Amino acid sequence: MKVLKIIKNGILSENPVFRLLLGLCPTLAVTTSANNAIGMGLATTFVLVMSNVIVSMIKGFIPAKVRIPAFIVVIATFVTIVQFVMAGFLPELNKSLGLFIPLIVVNCIIMGRAEAFASKNNTFLAAVDGIAMGIGFTLALTLIGGVREILGSNTFFGYLVLPQSYKPMLFFILSPGGFFTMGVLLAFFNWISSRKKEA
Amino acid sequence: MDFGRLFVIAISAIFVNNFVLARFLGICPYLGVSKKWDSALGMGIAVIFVMTLASFITWIVQHFLLAPPSGKYDLTDILQTIAFILTIAALVQFVEIVMKKAMPDLYKALGIYLPLITTNCAILGVTLLNIKNDYNLIESIVFGISAGVGFTLALLMMASIRERLESAKVPKVFKGIAIALIVAALMSLSFTGFSGLIAE
């Protein structure tokens, strides 16, 4: 039962992007297309799961005072692995995500889950939490990326949506469009949850 | 020394490629600490300070430890991320301790923002960009200062708008962060106007 609750938490009721508002930098920066969004989401999920697992394993013998630097080293190690894998197997994605791959280290979701969940729970639950939060993050990113890609370049995962004669609104793939899309989607989810409460 | 080039780096980091509004670095503090003008100013100054120091120290780490001038080895790929984030974390801790002892007044004003800075992606972003753009030591420091100034500028603008938004009639679902993001979109749109300022 607890597992189901953790999964629901990560994807819906505590969605890292739309509910906890964590990790907004990559959320806005890499969501110019659905493809980039999924790539970033999966990379973050990998780091999140692995760091949750390791942190929950070492929580017993890390003194409380140095736990934050210890967590940072664990996270940075897995980010370096991701950097190598991306550069080796997905050079194009690596190029378009660019600076934001090393910056996964400072993504507050990962540190936040290590501190708030993994350092208090057993390894299995920590792994489940990492997967659930990762899926929640990936879904949110893909949603934003999809909206921006459809409106901004008239494609979805690279496929044409409307006939070529339709002129896409460039605004949405430029930086102001990122803030705008995120703001409107956030208001939309606020609206849904406020309706649920009333009903 | 080429002052023209330094000037271009500064203008580009403050206006054209503003860290918050064009590069999306440091969004968390931009939305989190921009409710009040005073705290925004404190955060901004703390960021400028740490960014400048971090640019200086990580440049030395990169060019003397990770990839020394002798060219015997190059650990950039493997260790850069870990080395830089640890350097920044240690630096922030060090600044906190020194400030507490030597400048207690300043510590009272800025102290609470310092721990937050370690996970501010703008700091790590500056240091990584310094290396990626092949800046020399002086250019790195100038880039660090101007990135911090650009961040502070965006943060202060946001704070002054949000103080007025408090009393504005905002639709219920847009209250809080949602309307702040819309404001940020408008601000970012106006900053794209600077993009013609520098011919790449």
Side-chain angles (χ1 to χ4, degrees), chain A residues 12-43:
Chain A
L12 296 170
S13 43
E14 279 185 22
N15 184 292
V17 176
F18 288 115
R19 283 276 158 266
L20 303 182
L21 294 164
L22 290 175
L24 288 182
C25 303
T27 306
L28 293 170
V30 304
T31 51
T32 48
S33 75
N35 225 348
N36 285 355
I38 280 210
M40 187 67 195
L42 292 182

PDB file of all heavy atoms in Angstrom, chain A residues 12-43:
ATOM      1  N   LEU A  12       1.513  12.720  -8.951  1.00  0.00           N
ATOM      2  CA  LEU A  12       0.414  13.681  -8.902  1.00  0.00           C
ATOM      3  C   LEU A  12       0.483  14.646  -7.717  1.00  0.00           C
ATOM      4  O   LEU A  12       0.843  15.806  -7.888  1.00  0.00           O
ATOM      5  CB  LEU A  12      -0.934  12.935  -8.874  1.00  0.00           C
ATOM      6  CG  LEU A  12      -1.239  12.124 -10.125  1.00  0.00           C
ATOM      7  CD1 LEU A  12      -2.453  11.256  -9.895  1.00  0.00           C
ATOM      8  CD2 LEU A  12      -1.463  13.057 -11.300  1.00  0.00           C
ATOM      9  N   SER A  13       0.183  14.148  -6.523  1.00  0.00           N
ATOM     10  CA  SER A  13      -0.080  15.106  -5.444  1.00  0.00           C
ATOM     11  C   SER A  13       1.163  15.887  -5.021  1.00  0.00           C
ATOM     12  O   SER A  13       1.045  16.985  -4.487  1.00  0.00           O
ATOM     13  CB  SER A  13      -0.724  14.411  -4.239  1.00  0.00           C
ATOM     14  OG  SER A  13      -0.079  13.196  -3.981  1.00  0.00           O
ATOM     15  N   GLU A  14       2.357  15.328  -5.222  1.00  0.00           N
ATOM     16  CA  GLU A  14       3.561  16.127  -4.940  1.00  0.00           C
ATOM     17  C   GLU A  14       4.437  16.220  -6.176  1.00  0.00           C
ATOM     18  O   GLU A  14       5.659  16.132  -6.090  1.00  0.00           O
ATOM     19  CB  GLU A  14       4.348  15.512  -3.769  1.00  0.00           C
ATOM     20  CG  GLU A  14       3.783  15.878  -2.423  1.00  0.00           C
ATOM     21  CD  GLU A  14       4.634  15.373  -1.286  1.00  0.00           C
ATOM     22  OE1 GLU A  14       5.827  15.119  -1.498  1.00  0.00           O
ATOM     23  OE2 GLU A  14       4.087  15.226  -0.185  1.00  0.00           O
ATOM     24  N   ASN A  15       3.819  16.397  -7.320  1.00  0.00           N
ATOM     25  CA  ASN A  15       4.604  16.505  -8.557  1.00  0.00           C
ATOM     26  C   ASN A  15       5.704  17.551  -8.378  1.00  0.00           C
ATOM     27  O   ASN A  15       5.437  18.686  -7.993  1.00  0.00           O
ATOM     28  CB  ASN A  15       3.690  16.886  -9.720  1.00  0.00           C
ATOM     29  CG  ASN A  15       4.436  16.915 -11.035  1.00  0.00           C
ATOM     30  OD1 ASN A  15       5.279  17.775 -11.239  1.00  0.00           O
ATOM     31  ND2 ASN A  15       4.146  15.978 -11.887  1.00  0.00           N
ATOM     32  N   PRO A  16       6.974  17.145  -8.627  1.00  0.00           N
ATOM     33  CA  PRO A  16       8.078  18.069  -8.324  1.00  0.00           C
ATOM     34  C   PRO A  16       7.975  19.413  -9.040  1.00  0.00           C
ATOM     35  O   PRO A  16       8.361  20.434  -8.475  1.00  0.00           O
ATOM     36  CB  PRO A  16       9.329  17.301  -8.757  1.00  0.00           C
ATOM     37  CG  PRO A  16       8.849  16.126  -9.520  1.00  0.00           C
ATOM     38  CD  PRO A  16       7.456  15.841  -9.078  1.00  0.00           C
ATOM     39  N   VAL A  17       7.454  19.413 -10.270  1.00  0.00           N
ATOM     40  CA  VAL A  17       7.433  20.672 -11.009  1.00  0.00           C
ATOM     41  C   VAL A  17       6.207  21.521 -10.668  1.00  0.00           C
ATOM     42  O   VAL A  17       6.325  22.686 -10.292  1.00  0.00           O
ATOM     43  CB  VAL A  17       7.497  20.418 -12.527  1.00  0.00           C
ATOM     44  CG1 VAL A  17       7.368  21.719 -13.282  1.00  0.00           C
ATOM     45  CG2 VAL A  17       8.787  19.730 -12.897  1.00  0.00           C
ATOM     46  N   PHE A  18       5.013  20.910 -10.756  1.00  0.00           N
ATOM     47  CA  PHE A  18       3.806  21.737 -10.629  1.00  0.00           C
ATOM     48  C   PHE A  18       3.318  21.894  -9.202  1.00  0.00           C
ATOM     49  O   PHE A  18       2.559  22.818  -8.892  1.00  0.00           O
ATOM     50  CB  PHE A  18       2.686  21.164 -11.494  1.00  0.00           C
ATOM     51  CG  PHE A  18       2.923  21.364 -12.952  1.00  0.00           C
ATOM     52  CD1 PHE A  18       3.118  20.289 -13.797  1.00  0.00           C
ATOM     53  CD2 PHE A  18       2.998  22.637 -13.477  1.00  0.00           C
ATOM     54  CE1 PHE A  18       3.361  20.481 -15.141  1.00  0.00           C
ATOM     55  CE2 PHE A  18       3.242  22.837 -14.815  1.00  0.00           C
ATOM     56  CZ  PHE A  18       3.426  21.757 -15.648  1.00  0.00           C
ATOM     57  N   ARG A  19       3.733  20.991  -8.292  1.00  0.00           N
ATOM     58  CA  ARG A  19       3.281  21.114  -6.902  1.00  0.00           C
ATOM     59  C   ARG A  19       4.382  21.636  -5.998  1.00  0.00           C
ATOM     60  O   ARG A  19       4.182  22.540  -5.221  1.00  0.00           O
ATOM     61  CB  ARG A  19       2.781  19.764  -6.396  1.00  0.00           C
ATOM     62  CG  ARG A  19       1.412  19.414  -6.903  1.00  0.00           C
ATOM     63  CD  ARG A  19       0.341  20.069  -6.033  1.00  0.00           C
ATOM     64  NE  ARG A  19      -0.895  20.188  -6.768  1.00  0.00           N
ATOM     65  CZ  ARG A  19      -1.249  21.284  -7.460  1.00  0.00           C
ATOM     66  NH1 ARG A  19      -0.458  22.324  -7.497  1.00  0.00           N
ATOM     67  NH2 ARG A  19      -2.389  21.337  -8.108  1.00  0.00           N
ATOM     68  N   LEU A  20       5.583  21.025  -6.077  1.00  0.00           N
ATOM     69  CA  LEU A  20       6.659  21.439  -5.179  1.00  0.00           C
ATOM     70  C   LEU A  20       7.450  22.615  -5.749  1.00  0.00           C
ATOM     71  O   LEU A  20       8.181  23.271  -5.041  1.00  0.00           O
ATOM     72  CB  LEU A  20       7.620  20.271  -4.915  1.00  0.00           C
ATOM     73  CG  LEU A  20       7.019  18.985  -4.338  1.00  0.00           C
ATOM     74  CD1 LEU A  20       8.116  17.962  -4.108  1.00  0.00           C
ATOM     75  CD2 LEU A  20       6.305  19.264  -3.031  1.00  0.00           C
ATOM     76  N   LEU A  21       7.303  22.873  -7.060  1.00  0.00           N
ATOM     77  CA  LEU A  21       8.038  23.947  -7.737  1.00  0.00           C
ATOM     78  C   LEU A  21       9.544  23.835  -7.532  1.00  0.00           C
ATOM     79  O   LEU A  21      10.227  24.800  -7.212  1.00  0.00           O
ATOM     80  CB  LEU A  21       7.547  25.315  -7.270  1.00  0.00           C
ATOM     81  CG  LEU A  21       6.105  25.620  -7.666  1.00  0.00           C
ATOM     82  CD1 LEU A  21       5.573  26.770  -6.874  1.00  0.00           C
ATOM     83  CD2 LEU A  21       6.023  25.919  -9.156  1.00  0.00           C
ATOM     84  N   LEU A  22      10.053  22.620  -7.695  1.00  0.00           N
ATOM     85  CA  LEU A  22      11.495  22.398  -7.578  1.00  0.00           C
ATOM     86  C   LEU A  22      12.082  22.147  -8.968  1.00  0.00           C
ATOM     87  O   LEU A  22      11.397  21.658  -9.859  1.00  0.00           O
ATOM     88  CB  LEU A  22      11.777  21.184  -6.697  1.00  0.00           C
ATOM     89  CG  LEU A  22      11.482  21.327  -5.210  1.00  0.00           C
ATOM     90  CD1 LEU A  22      11.698  20.005  -4.510  1.00  0.00           C
ATOM     91  CD2 LEU A  22      12.358  22.394  -4.601  1.00  0.00           C
ATOM     92  N   GLY A  23      13.354  22.479  -9.099  1.00  0.00           N
ATOM     93  CA  GLY A  23      14.030  22.190 -10.358  1.00  0.00           C
ATOM     94  C   GLY A  23      13.489  22.965 -11.540  1.00  0.00           C
ATOM     95  O   GLY A  23      13.331  22.438 -12.632  1.00  0.00           O
ATOM     96  N   LEU A  24      13.221  24.255 -11.323  1.00  0.00           N
ATOM     97  CA  LEU A  24      12.598  25.027 -12.394  1.00  0.00           C
ATOM     98  C   LEU A  24      13.590  25.429 -13.488  1.00  0.00           C
ATOM     99  O   LEU A  24      13.183  25.671 -14.621  1.00  0.00           O
ATOM    100  CB  LEU A  24      11.933  26.275 -11.828  1.00  0.00           C
ATOM    101  CG  LEU A  24      10.657  25.988 -11.034  1.00  0.00           C
ATOM    102  CD1 LEU A  24      10.039  27.273 -10.556  1.00  0.00           C
ATOM    103  CD2 LEU A  24       9.658  25.228 -11.882  1.00  0.00           C
ATOM    104  N   CYS A  25      14.879  25.504 -13.153  1.00  0.00           N
ATOM    105  CA  CYS A  25      15.829  25.949 -14.179  1.00  0.00           C
ATOM    106  C   CYS A  25      15.840  25.016 -15.384  1.00  0.00           C
ATOM    107  O   CYS A  25      15.601  25.458 -16.506  1.00  0.00           O
ATOM    108  CB  CYS A  25      17.233  26.084 -13.619  1.00  0.00           C
ATOM    109  SG  CYS A  25      17.322  27.193 -12.227  1.00  0.00           S
ATOM    110  N   PRO A  26      16.096  23.692 -15.200  1.00  0.00           N
ATOM    111  CA  PRO A  26      16.050  22.823 -16.365  1.00  0.00           C
ATOM    112  C   PRO A  26      14.645  22.754 -16.954  1.00  0.00           C
ATOM    113  O   PRO A  26      14.493  22.655 -18.175  1.00  0.00           O
ATOM    114  CB  PRO A  26      16.483  21.451 -15.820  1.00  0.00           C
ATOM    115  CG  PRO A  26      16.309  21.538 -14.368  1.00  0.00           C
ATOM    116  CD  PRO A  26      16.509  22.965 -13.998  1.00  0.00           C
ATOM    117  N   THR A  27      13.623  22.845 -16.102  1.00  0.00           N
ATOM    118  CA  THR A  27      12.252  22.770 -16.597  1.00  0.00           C
ATOM    119  C   THR A  27      12.001  23.821 -17.664  1.00  0.00           C
ATOM    120  O   THR A  27      11.381  23.552 -18.684  1.00  0.00           O
ATOM    121  CB  THR A  27      11.268  22.997 -15.434  1.00  0.00           C
ATOM    122  OG1 THR A  27      11.574  22.090 -14.416  1.00  0.00           O
ATOM    123  CG2 THR A  27       9.847  22.813 -15.887  1.00  0.00           C
ATOM    124  N   LEU A  28      12.493  25.035 -17.428  1.00  0.00           N
ATOM    125  CA  LEU A  28      12.233  26.093 -18.395  1.00  0.00           C
ATOM    126  C   LEU A  28      13.255  26.084 -19.527  1.00  0.00           C
ATOM    127  O   LEU A  28      12.935  26.391 -20.664  1.00  0.00           O
ATOM    128  CB  LEU A  28      12.257  27.447 -17.689  1.00  0.00           C
ATOM    129  CG  LEU A  28      11.110  27.639 -16.698  1.00  0.00           C
ATOM    130  CD1 LEU A  28      11.342  28.873 -15.866  1.00  0.00           C
ATOM    131  CD2 LEU A  28       9.799  27.749 -17.435  1.00  0.00           C
ATOM    132  N   ALA A  29      14.491  25.697 -19.216  1.00  0.00           N
ATOM    133  CA  ALA A  29      15.552  25.889 -20.197  1.00  0.00           C
ATOM    134  C   ALA A  29      15.550  24.840 -21.308  1.00  0.00           C
ATOM    135  O   ALA A  29      15.826  25.168 -22.458  1.00  0.00           O
ATOM    136  CB  ALA A  29      16.907  25.889 -19.509  1.00  0.00           C
ATOM    137  N   VAL A  30      15.256  23.589 -20.996  1.00  0.00           N
ATOM    138  CA  VAL A  30      15.431  22.557 -22.020  1.00  0.00           C
ATOM    139  C   VAL A  30      14.121  22.154 -22.683  1.00  0.00           C
ATOM    140  O   VAL A  30      14.110  21.273 -23.520  1.00  0.00           O
ATOM    141  CB  VAL A  30      16.111  21.291 -21.450  1.00  0.00           C
ATOM    142  CG1 VAL A  30      17.434  21.639 -20.815  1.00  0.00           C
ATOM    143  CG2 VAL A  30      15.215  20.578 -20.468  1.00  0.00           C
ATOM    144  N   THR A  31      12.998  22.782 -22.305  1.00  0.00           N
ATOM    145  CA  THR A  31      11.724  22.320 -22.847  1.00  0.00           C
ATOM    146  C   THR A  31      11.353  23.016 -24.150  1.00  0.00           C
ATOM    147  O   THR A  31      10.198  23.301 -24.390  1.00  0.00           O
ATOM    148  CB  THR A  31      10.594  22.529 -21.831  1.00  0.00           C
ATOM    149  OG1 THR A  31      10.639  23.884 -21.386  1.00  0.00           O
ATOM    150  CG2 THR A  31      10.715  21.609 -20.661  1.00  0.00           C
ATOM    151  N   THR A  32      12.334  23.274 -25.007  1.00  0.00           N
ATOM    152  CA  THR A  32      11.983  23.867 -26.293  1.00  0.00           C
ATOM    153  C   THR A  32      11.415  22.817 -27.243  1.00  0.00           C
ATOM    154  O   THR A  32      10.821  23.148 -28.239  1.00  0.00           O
ATOM    155  CB  THR A  32      13.205  24.520 -26.950  1.00  0.00           C
ATOM    156  OG1 THR A  32      14.278  23.583 -26.873  1.00  0.00           O
ATOM    157  CG2 THR A  32      13.597  25.788 -26.240  1.00  0.00           C
ATOM    158  N   SER A  33      11.621  21.530 -26.928  1.00  0.00           N
ATOM    159  CA  SER A  33      10.993  20.486 -27.726  1.00  0.00           C
ATOM    160  C   SER A  33      10.725  19.283 -26.833  1.00  0.00           C
ATOM    161  O   SER A  33      11.373  19.114 -25.800  1.00  0.00           O
ATOM    162  CB  SER A  33      11.889  20.072 -28.890  1.00  0.00           C
ATOM    163  OG  SER A  33      12.948  19.283 -28.406  1.00  0.00           O
ATOM    164  N   ALA A  34       9.752  18.455 -27.239  1.00  0.00           N
ATOM    165  CA  ALA A  34       9.375  17.301 -26.421  1.00  0.00           C
ATOM    166  C   ALA A  34      10.543  16.329 -26.287  1.00  0.00           C
ATOM    167  O   ALA A  34      10.744  15.713 -25.244  1.00  0.00           O
ATOM    168  CB  ALA A  34       8.163  16.609 -27.026  1.00  0.00           C
ATOM    169  N   ASN A  35      11.330  16.226 -27.341  1.00  0.00           N
ATOM    170  CA  ASN A  35      12.477  15.329 -27.346  1.00  0.00           C
ATOM    171  C   ASN A  35      13.500  15.683 -26.270  1.00  0.00           C
ATOM    172  O   ASN A  35      13.904  14.841 -25.464  1.00  0.00           O
ATOM    173  CB  ASN A  35      13.147  15.438 -28.720  1.00  0.00           C
ATOM    174  CG  ASN A  35      13.484  14.072 -29.257  1.00  0.00           C
ATOM    175  OD1 ASN A  35      13.427  13.091 -28.526  1.00  0.00           O
ATOM    176  ND2 ASN A  35      13.820  14.001 -30.526  1.00  0.00           N
ATOM    177  N   ASN A  36      13.898  16.969 -26.263  1.00  0.00           N
ATOM    178  CA  ASN A  36      14.840  17.440 -25.241  1.00  0.00           C
ATOM    179  C   ASN A  36      14.276  17.216 -23.855  1.00  0.00           C
ATOM    180  O   ASN A  36      14.995  16.841 -22.933  1.00  0.00           O
ATOM    181  CB  ASN A  36      15.092  18.944 -25.405  1.00  0.00           C
ATOM    182  CG  ASN A  36      15.990  19.234 -26.563  1.00  0.00           C
ATOM    183  OD1 ASN A  36      16.500  18.321 -27.193  1.00  0.00           O
ATOM    184  ND2 ASN A  36      16.175  20.507 -26.860  1.00  0.00           N
ATOM    185  N   ALA A  37      12.948  17.484 -23.716  1.00  0.00           N
ATOM    186  CA  ALA A  37      12.321  17.381 -22.403  1.00  0.00           C
ATOM    187  C   ALA A  37      12.423  15.959 -21.878  1.00  0.00           C
ATOM    188  O   ALA A  37      12.790  15.732 -20.729  1.00  0.00           O
ATOM    189  CB  ALA A  37      10.863  17.820 -22.481  1.00  0.00           C
ATOM    190  N   ILE A  38      12.121  14.968 -22.736  1.00  0.00           N
ATOM    191  CA  ILE A  38      12.192  13.564 -22.298  1.00  0.00           C
ATOM    192  C   ILE A  38      13.633  13.203 -21.961  1.00  0.00           C
ATOM    193  O   ILE A  38      13.905  12.554 -20.952  1.00  0.00           O
ATOM    194  CB  ILE A  38      11.634  12.631 -23.386  1.00  0.00           C
ATOM    195  CG1 ILE A  38      10.116  12.648 -23.314  1.00  0.00           C
ATOM    196  CG2 ILE A  38      12.150  11.222 -23.203  1.00  0.00           C
ATOM    197  CD1 ILE A  38       9.454  11.375 -23.732  1.00  0.00           C
ATOM    198  N   GLY A  39      14.575  13.631 -22.784  1.00  0.00           N
ATOM    199  CA  GLY A  39      15.978  13.321 -22.523  1.00  0.00           C
ATOM    200  C   GLY A  39      16.417  13.841 -21.165  1.00  0.00           C
ATOM    201  O   GLY A  39      17.014  13.121 -20.366  1.00  0.00           O
ATOM    202  N   MET A  40      16.078  15.103 -20.894  1.00  0.00           N
ATOM    203  CA  MET A  40      16.427  15.699 -19.610  1.00  0.00           C
ATOM    204  C   MET A  40      15.728  14.966 -18.484  1.00  0.00           C
ATOM    205  O   MET A  40      16.330  14.682 -17.436  1.00  0.00           O
ATOM    206  CB  MET A  40      15.996  17.174 -19.613  1.00  0.00           C
ATOM    207  CG  MET A  40      16.444  17.937 -18.418  1.00  0.00           C
ATOM    208  SD  MET A  40      18.223  18.064 -18.465  1.00  0.00           S
ATOM    209  CE  MET A  40      18.538  18.553 -16.810  1.00  0.00           C
ATOM    210  N   GLY A  41      14.440  14.649 -18.682  1.00  0.00           N
ATOM    211  CA  GLY A  41      13.669  13.962 -17.647  1.00  0.00           C
ATOM    212  C   GLY A  41      14.285  12.627 -17.298  1.00  0.00           C
ATOM    213  O   GLY A  41      14.458  12.300 -16.119  1.00  0.00           O
ATOM    214  N   LEU A  42      14.669  11.846 -18.318  1.00  0.00           N
ATOM    215  CA  LEU A  42      15.219  10.522 -18.046  1.00  0.00           C
ATOM    216  C   LEU A  42      16.593  10.624 -17.394  1.00  0.00           C
ATOM    217  O   LEU A  42      16.903   9.858 -16.475  1.00  0.00           O
ATOM    218  CB  LEU A  42      15.291   9.707 -19.340  1.00  0.00           C
ATOM    219  CG  LEU A  42      13.913   9.335 -19.905  1.00  0.00           C
ATOM    220  CD1 LEU A  42      14.059   8.494 -21.168  1.00  0.00           C
ATOM    221  CD2 LEU A  42      13.079   8.588 -18.875  1.00  0.00           C
ATOM    222  N   ALA A  43      17.403  11.576 -17.844  1.00  0.00           N
ATOM    223  CA  ALA A  43      18.724  11.747 -17.223  1.00  0.00           C
ATOM    224  C   ALA A  43      18.567  12.075 -15.740  1.00  0.00           C
ATOM    225  O   ALA A  43      19.244  11.500 -14.880  1.00  0.00           O
ATOM    226  CB  ALA A  43      19.504  12.847 -17.929  1.00  0.00           C
TER     227      ALA A  43
END
